[in-house]
Amino acid sequence: MDIERRLAVLDLNARYAEAIDEDRLEEWPDFFAADGRYRITTAENFEQGLPLSIVYATSRAMLRDRVKALREANIYEAQRYRHLLGPARIEHGADGTLHARTSFMVARIMHTGETTLFATGSYRDRIALDGDAACFAERVVILDSRQIDTLLAIPL
Amino acid sequence: MDIERRLAVLDLNARYAEAIDEDRLEEWPDFFAADGRYRITTAENFEQGLPLSIVYATSRAMLRDRVKALREANIYEAQRYRHLLGPARIEHGADGTLHARTSFMVARIMHTGETTLFATGSYRDRIALDGDAACFAERVVILDSRQIDTLLAIPL
Amino acid sequence: MDIERRLAVLDLNARYAEAIDEDRLEEWPDFFAADGRYRITTAENFEQGLPLSIVYATSRAMLRDRVKALREANIYEAQRYRHLLGPARIEHGADGTLHARTSFMVARIMHTGETTLFATGSYRDRIALDGDAACFAERVVILDSRQIDTLLAIPL
């Protein structure tokens, strides 16, 4: 795979995490295609092929609604996230998209300053490239833990 | 160093971590050369040049035995690992292999969902390249902490 | 941006973290330009544009003094750090330097072996390139948490 495509994927990953960690949630839906899919599930469900999801959205518009709800609920203000991503494994998919897998850890920093390792898991992505621009045709967030925090407010 | 070699090392690192984190332990020995060496030690021992090891294997066959023992002991089922790797520092070694150093953090996720920062440290690797294929001639796992969990069951 | 420049930045980042994590603090000032700036602040202050800093140094000489003080205070011996860096976002700055943003997590490992997630945040860097050599014209460490440990002894 040419290096430009690799860099486009790494850049997409880094900008995605940065937008969330800097609380620019309104930009978050723009990392997805108009009919992009976003799903959060657990490794247990994923490995058993179960369709259960904690979050499931099938369009950019649904993601916008979600951000709006978060802002109105106003929960997110009391906390910050810090995403740390490992190296991405990138392959050509049969459908013309790039397929990427990336491990992550997310720390949650409460307003008091208390920092905890909040979530670990991996992203399974299908990435559409259009010239220099890259976006997610699909991002599946697979959480290692099945103990889901009820405060899963901010996107992962 | 040419970019293809760099990418081969990054890919080896990522696939290694992925195999362990997805519990495909039977694939783990195949990341090593037939006479590959695998060692886990502590930073304290390593810096003092002490030969003490927590785990020491000198062939792929020994690693296979280790996996078999783990599967029989059946301890591993109750937990998952998540490896997160930093950027690798890669240099040409005098012996024709590539030398790489990579920092890591490993989270352990118990069956209950409880997630803890389990281990931190760095890999010191000698990597043999044969065409496009890369494998470990040697992987030394240097743990920052000397407080070794007695449940150090799954490979790091 | 050409790949050589990217690699020079990644290498600088990795060597910087390695020097600190391996307690080679005397090498730390050499990662900065002679008139390089180093600042630690919180995300809260940074986002509000406040000039408040936890640490602020405006030359390599000041950093050397800091290391000397740390060695004399002798606090650092009881602990280790482990930096884990995410992928760097790199752009050309208007001032001829490269601008980079990199997320980090730092674990602290006490002499007893106790390991905690000590700090999370991001680096905002201006990096000067001179041929193959890269150094920090400025490194701003933005901590996610405002709860600063009074033992913030080792550089971040």
Side-chain angles (χ1 to χ4, degrees):
Chain A
M1 181 182 317
D2 55 281
I3 192 74
E4 280 75 20
R5 290 183 174 214
R6 275 186 186 273
L7 291 176
V9 171
L10 297 182
D11 191 60
L12 177 67
N13 257 346
R15 285 185 295 113
Y16 177 99
E18 194 177 285
I20 296 172
D21 293 350
E22 296 185 355
D23 194 29
R24 293 182 272 109
L25 297 187
E26 282 70 19
E27 299 178 20
W28 174 59
D30 295 326
F31 292 104
F32 291 82
D35 61 347
R37 298 204 296 176
Y38 176 74
R39 181 184 168 205
I40 303 181
T41 188
T42 64
E44 214 169 42
N45 286 337
F46 188 83
E47 286 162 7
Q48 294 172 26
L50 297 177
L52 301 172
S53 298
I54 298 155
V55 173
Y56 188 53
T58 55
S59 73
R60 196 192 287 151
M62 284 179 72
L63 298 177
R64 286 205 202 289
D65 287 347
R66 190 170 167 82
V67 171
K68 217 176 280 179
L70 283 174
R71 292 297 193 199
E72 278 159 16
N74 222 11
I75 298 167
Y76 64 90
E77 281 195 326
Q79 50 187 291
R80 270 172 184 283
Y81 277 8
R82 174 61 55 188
H83 286 68
L84 211 70
L85 307 182
R89 285 229 299 128
I90 310 170
E91 288 170 354
H92 283 287
D95 56 356
T97 62
L98 296 178
H99 291 197
R101 297 180 181 203
T102 312
S103 287
F104 66 81
M105 290 189 184
V106 178
R108 185 165 65 178
I109 302 97
M110 304 309 286
H111 194 57
T112 56
E114 195 201 339
T115 301
T116 51
L117 184 56
F118 174 60
T120 68
S122 73
Y123 294 121
R124 299 277 184 108
D125 304 318
R126 287 189 306 112
I127 295 164
L129 287 175
D130 184 7
D132 279 351
C135 68
F136 293 110
E138 182 176 53
R139 162 151 278 192
V140 182
V141 184
I142 306 173
L143 296 173
D144 292 324
S145 173
R146 59 174 181 173
Q147 180 185 306
I148 304 307
D149 196 298
T150 50
L151 279 174
L152 189 59
I154 309 177
L156 285 172
Chain B
M1 183 182 315
D2 56 281
I3 193 73
E4 279 75 20
R5 290 184 173 213
R6 275 186 186 274
L7 291 176
V9 172
L10 297 181
D11 191 60
L12 177 67
N13 256 346
R15 286 185 293 114
Y16 177 100
E18 195 177 284
I20 296 172
D21 293 350
E22 297 185 355
D23 194 29
R24 293 183 273 109
L25 298 187
E26 282 70 19
E27 298 178 19
W28 175 59
D30 294 327
F31 292 104
F32 290 82
D35 61 348
R37 297 204 297 176
Y38 176 74
R39 183 184 167 205
I40 303 182
T41 187
T42 64
E44 215 169 43
N45 286 337
F46 188 82
E47 286 161 8
Q48 293 172 26
L50 298 178
L52 301 172
S53 298
I54 298 156
V55 174
Y56 188 53
T58 55
S59 73
R60 196 193 287 153
M62 283 178 71
L63 298 177
R64 287 204 202 289
D65 285 347
R66 190 170 166 79
V67 171
K68 216 174 282 179
L70 283 174
R71 291 299 192 198
E72 278 160 17
N74 222 10
I75 299 168
Y76 63 90
E77 281 194 325
Q79 51 187 292
R80 270 171 184 283
Y81 278 8
R82 174 60 55 187
H83 286 68
L84 212 69
L85 307 183
R89 286 229 299 127
I90 309 170
E91 287 171 355
H92 283 288
D95 56 357
T97 63
L98 296 177
H99 291 196
R101 297 180 180 205
T102 312
S103 286
F104 66 81
M105 290 190 185
V106 178
R108 184 166 67 178
I109 301 96
M110 303 309 287
H111 195 56
T112 58
E114 194 201 340
T115 301
T116 51
L117 184 57
F118 173 61
T120 68
S122 73
Y123 293 122
R124 299 276 184 108
D125 303 319
R126 289 189 304 112
I127 294 163
L129 287 175
D130 183 7
D132 279 352
C135 68
F136 294 109
E138 181 176 54
R139 163 151 277 192
V140 182
V141 184
I142 306 173
L143 296 173
D144 291 324
S145 172
R146 60 175 179 171
Q147 182 186 306
I148 304 309
D149 196 300
T150 50
L151 280 174
L152 189 59
I154 308 178
L156 285 172
Chain C
M1 181 182 318
D2 56 281
I3 192 73
E4 279 75 20
R5 289 184 173 212
R6 276 187 186 272
L7 291 177
V9 171
L10 297 182
D11 192 59
L12 177 67
N13 256 346
R15 284 186 295 114
Y16 177 100
E18 194 176 285
I20 296 172
D21 293 350
E22 296 186 355
D23 194 30
R24 292 182 273 108
L25 298 187
E26 282 70 18
E27 299 179 18
W28 174 59
D30 295 327
F31 292 104
F32 291 83
D35 61 346
R37 298 204 295 176
Y38 176 74
R39 183 184 167 205
I40 302 181
T41 187
T42 64
E44 216 169 41
N45 286 338
F46 188 82
E47 285 162 8
Q48 293 172 28
L50 297 177
L52 301 171
S53 297
I54 298 154
V55 173
Y56 189 53
T58 56
S59 73
R60 196 193 286 153
M62 284 178 72
L63 298 177
R64 287 204 201 289
D65 286 347
R66 191 172 166 80
V67 171
K68 217 175 280 180
L70 284 174
R71 291 299 192 198
E72 278 159 17
N74 221 12
I75 298 168
Y76 63 91
E77 281 195 326
Q79 51 187 289
R80 269 173 185 282
Y81 278 6
R82 174 60 56 187
H83 286 69
L84 212 70
L85 307 183
R89 285 229 299 128
I90 310 171
E91 287 170 356
H92 283 287
D95 55 356
T97 62
L98 296 176
H99 291 196
R101 297 179 182 206
T102 311
S103 287
F104 66 81
M105 291 189 184
V106 178
R108 185 166 66 179
I109 301 96
M110 303 309 287
H111 195 57
T112 57
E114 194 202 339
T115 301
T116 52
L117 185 55
F118 174 60
T120 68
S122 72
Y123 293 121
R124 298 277 184 107
D125 303 318
R126 289 190 305 112
I127 294 163
L129 287 175
D130 184 7
D132 280 351
C135 67
F136 294 110
E138 181 177 53
R139 163 151 276 192
V140 182
V141 184
I142 306 172
L143 296 173
D144 291 324
S145 172
R146 59 175 180 171
Q147 181 186 305
I148 305 308
D149 197 299
T150 49
L151 281 174
L152 190 57
I154 308 177
L156 284 172

